[in-house]
Amino acid sequence: MKYCRLLPISLSFCLALLVEHATASDQAPIWDSHTNRPLEKYDNPPAYIYRLDTSPRMISPHGAFVSYQVNVDAMGNNIVGDAANECSISVDPTDGNKMAIGWRQFNSVLSNFRQGGWGYTTDAGVHWTFPGVLEPGVFRSDPVTNSNETGTFFYLSLLGSLCENMYRSTNGGQSWTELQPDGDAGGGDKQWFTIDRTNGPGHGFQYQAWDVSTCSSSGSGQFSRSTDGGITWMTPIVIPNQAEFGTLDVDTNGNLFIGGEGNVNNVFYCIRSSNAQIGSQTPTFDQVTPVNMGGVLTGGTINPAGLDGQLFLAVDRSGTATNNNIYMLASVQPPGQTTTEVMFVRSTDGGLTFSAPLRVNDDANHQTKWHWFGTFSVAPNGRLDAVWYDTRNAANNRDSQLFYSYSTDAGVTWASNVAVSNAFDPSQGYPNQSKIGDYITIVSDATGGNVAYSATFNFNPNRGQQEEDVYYVRVFPGGQGPSPTPTPIVSPTPTPTASPTPTATATPTATATPTATSTPRPTPTPRSEPTPRVRPTPSPRP
């Protein structure tokens, strides 16, 4: 396939060649996410819209779960002809009614020119306001949002230069302040960040990591830290093994953990820095543990120009027997398989060793079905909530549903999977870019999880196809009827992986099951006609 590297031909043509070659040789097509993934760069001019059609916003119920459209106009209606995907949700931990979602906003499917879209809610996700993009006319991508413990929201946004900006909101996402001039937060493609919410010396610090395609000011560095709430960032440093396509989290002792897949070897790693919380010191990485996730990250098939998912790492800070457990989950392609599975591992010793990979999706014919965009979060009481796209019910093996499972015993067992959305065709409504983003997200609380995802429930009559939109859905244990008794899917017996021997911060080994019972948060009654809201103006940049 050397022609794909030498000739100025389209990515879709290259992918077709790869598929044809693989079929002819009786092997699965190989799509290397580290080398074949298109960069988030400006390549289409903005598309001009001469008319703006609307239709009623989509409310899509499925059993006990209801998905509400997020990317709506000022009157609460669907915008016909746009596209929105790759969504990241943040929730105010002091008031669960207040949430914000950031996404890639395409004003027209005729162009892949995207901007930083966002929406906010004050009634637990039933109604959403989309005030506009972060910076009109400016290319932005890879939105990542988060919240600190007091409910201040942050939004990290990637520019076409592969440099970034951090935005802050003190009013629940209703307006945003850009914390530095465009691009001055450094960074690179597929960036992610986390916030230290502990009471240690690193309280309030922000940490971010990205892949090997970097902003010019980042050099070869893939990691940076802000000690002043995202305003200024240190000179980037290198992450061991060039680990990428993952997320970060902080344990209760202030230790930072980064999860990712090595750029050159497709090995997953859990990487620790115990001194990143010391503002006067340059962070170093004192523990690097290879982790068997049961497969590798892939892309280019069910999501032709994108990933099938990335690695998510999260730490238990529940204060229970599972406190400081480290968890990793990803949709990966197992050896000899052409589709992906949602796989999970855990560490009870501070990241020194990890359990054997455990499959979360429980369908019988899983080897031939897609389980993609897997993501998860840890609730304050230690419960784990996982969601993903799933084709188990699709005869064409393409139409997907959002599925959900949870665990109350630190991921040793997982509840029976349940579909929480109607089926949708992810190949419809592409904004001149053949993917529905690269990820979805979830944030958990004591009784359930808040999910931001993209789906194609709306129909665009002007193009005779469905369109990509962003949705919010509340998931919770018991939504499938009586709470099931979790049963093992595969053997959860831990098998230590090779790891170095630096001094580790000891954490208690725990297998106790949290005893809290989960009940769904009451769902506000939908209004038949949303009340128009004033479009707030984002705060000016400093």
Side-chain angles (χ1 to χ4, degrees):
M1 296 298 102
K2 61 182 179 180
Y3 306 105
C4 291
R5 298 191 297 269
L6 298 178
L7 298 179
I9 56 180
S10 70
L11 173 64
S12 59
F13 180 70
C14 290
L15 291 173
L17 288 177
L18 287 171
V19 172
E20 180 181 6
H21 174 74
T23 302
S25 60
D26 244 358
Q27 295 178 358
I30 298 175
W31 192 93
D32 189 341
S33 58
H34 300 290
T35 59
N36 294 344
R37 180 181 48 81
L39 294 178
E40 299 285 0
K41 285 194 172 184
Y42 179 102
D43 53 3
N44 276 184
Y48 295 99
I49 303 175
Y50 297 100
R51 67 176 184 174
L52 198 63
D53 296 335
T54 63
S55 61
R57 68 161 180 161
M58 176 60 68
I59 300 176
S60 180
H62 186 82
F65 307 97
V66 183
S67 294
Y68 297 96
Q69 187 178 353
V70 177
N71 59 317
V72 294
D73 69 6
M75 301 298 292
N77 294 317
N78 172 55
I79 304 167
V80 176
D82 74 341
N85 61 38
E86 207 160 273
C87 36
S88 175
I89 189 170
S90 53
V91 182
D92 184 342
T94 70
D95 183 354
N97 291 305
K98 298 178 180 178
M99 292 177 274
I101 295 176
W103 66 82
R104 304 193 312 164
Q105 171 65 25
F106 303 81
N107 285 343
S108 171
V109 294
L110 300 178
S111 172
N112 67 32
F113 184 87
R114 53 262 197 202
Q115 301 172 84
W118 97 87
Y120 69 90
T121 181
T122 58
D123 62 2
V126 174
H127 295 89
W128 291 83
T129 299
F130 171 23
V133 296
L134 290 176
E135 197 171 6
V138 175
F139 178 102
R140 290 188 176 277
S141 198
D142 288 7
V144 184
T145 67
N146 208 333
S147 170
N148 67 13
E149 73 281 358
T150 64
T152 298
F153 291 168
F154 295 88
Y155 187 134
L156 186 61
S157 177
L158 183 72
L159 292 160
S161 62
L162 300 183
C163 300
E164 305 163 0
N165 285 111
M166 182 66 76
Y167 286 78
R168 179 182 63 215
S169 175
T170 57
N171 57 8
Q174 297 184 43
S175 62
W176 298 87
T177 298
E178 188 174 2
L179 299 183
Q180 60 281 124
D182 282 1
D184 281 4
D189 200 11
K190 279 290 159 281
Q191 85 288 355
W192 210 268
F193 82 103
T194 193
I195 303 171
D196 186 336
R197 300 186 186 183
T198 70
N199 294 320
H203 175 261
F205 285 10
Q206 295 185 7
Y207 307 106
Q208 65 161 309
W210 51 88
D211 71 17
V212 296
S213 302
T214 66
C215 168
S216 59
S217 63
S218 298
S220 59
Q222 294 176 257
F223 172 83
S224 189
R225 174 188 67 191
S226 173
T227 60
D228 57 9
I231 298 174
T232 61
W233 294 83
M234 61 170 272
T235 301
I237 59 176
V238 173
I239 295 177
N241 301 299
Q242 295 182 317
E244 58 185 0
F245 303 150
T247 66
L248 316 83
D249 206 358
V250 179
D251 71 10
T252 59
N253 299 314
N255 296 310
L256 171 69
F257 292 89
I258 303 173
E261 188 180 52
N263 176 260
V264 296
N265 59 9
N266 291 332
V267 174
F268 287 99
Y269 293 97
C270 177
I271 301 169
R272 186 188 70 182
S273 175
S274 57
N275 75 333
Q277 62 186 306
I278 309 300
S280 61
Q281 298 181 16
T282 299
T284 57
F285 302 106
D286 57 348
Q287 183 174 291
V288 180
T289 304
V291 180
N292 175 16
M293 293 295 300
V296 297
L297 296 179
T298 60
T301 306
I302 190 138
N303 196 34
L307 301 173
D308 297 330
Q310 63 180 41
L311 176 74
F312 286 86
L313 178 150
V315 178
D316 184 320
R317 294 185 294 274
S318 63
T320 67
T322 59
N323 192 61
N324 284 337
N325 278 5
I326 302 166
Y327 306 115
M328 295 167 65
L329 179 145
S331 290
V332 299
Q333 183 184 70
Q337 193 165 312
T338 60
T339 55
T340 50
E341 312 270 23
V342 178
M343 304 298 286
F344 169 86
V345 297
R346 72 183 178 281
S347 173
T348 61
D349 57 9
L352 281 172
T353 61
F354 280 80
S355 65
L358 180 77
R359 177 169 51 86
V360 177
N361 54 282
D362 61 4
D363 45 328
N365 299 317
H366 59 93
Q367 298 95 335
T368 60
K369 295 294 184 176
W370 289 96
H371 316 88
W372 55 298
F373 274 20
T375 186
F376 83 113
S377 63
V378 185
N381 57 14
R383 188 192 67 253
L384 306 179
D385 295 309
V387 292
W388 64 92
Y389 292 163
D390 198 305
T391 68
R392 70 179 68 182
N393 296 323
N396 61 10
N397 207 21
R398 182 183 66 246
D399 291 351
S400 300
Q401 293 175 275
L402 188 72
F403 265 72
Y404 167 63
S405 184
Y406 67 93
S407 174
T408 56
D409 58 7
V412 175
T413 58
W414 289 81
S416 300
N417 302 172
V418 57
V420 300
S421 84
N422 291 304
F424 62 92
D425 184 346
S427 70
Q428 299 260 332
Y430 287 149
N432 196 28
Q433 184 187 60
S434 299
K435 67 176 182 177
I436 194 167
D438 286 316
Y439 51 82
I440 58 176
T441 52
I442 179 173
V443 173
S444 296
D445 54 39
T447 60
N450 303 288
V451 183
Y453 74 106
S454 294
T456 59
F457 300 136
N458 278 312
F459 182 73
N460 180 350
N462 299 326
R463 296 183 63 83
Q465 63 176 210
Q466 309 301 121
E467 59 181 23
E468 292 181 0
D469 293 299
V470 171
Y471 291 89
Y472 165 82
V473 65
R474 171 84 177 171
V475 298
F476 47 87
Q480 61 270 63
S483 297
T485 301
T487 55
I489 300 171
V490 297
S491 172
T493 304
T495 56
T497 56
S499 59
T501 56
T503 302
T505 301
T507 55
T509 300
T511 55
T513 302
T515 57
T517 57
S518 300
T519 56
R521 188 173 59 190
T523 301
T525 302
R527 297 192 296 266
S528 58
E529 292 293 335
T531 302
R533 296 173 181 160
V534 177
R535 294 164 62 92
T537 302
S539 302
R541 290 176 297 181

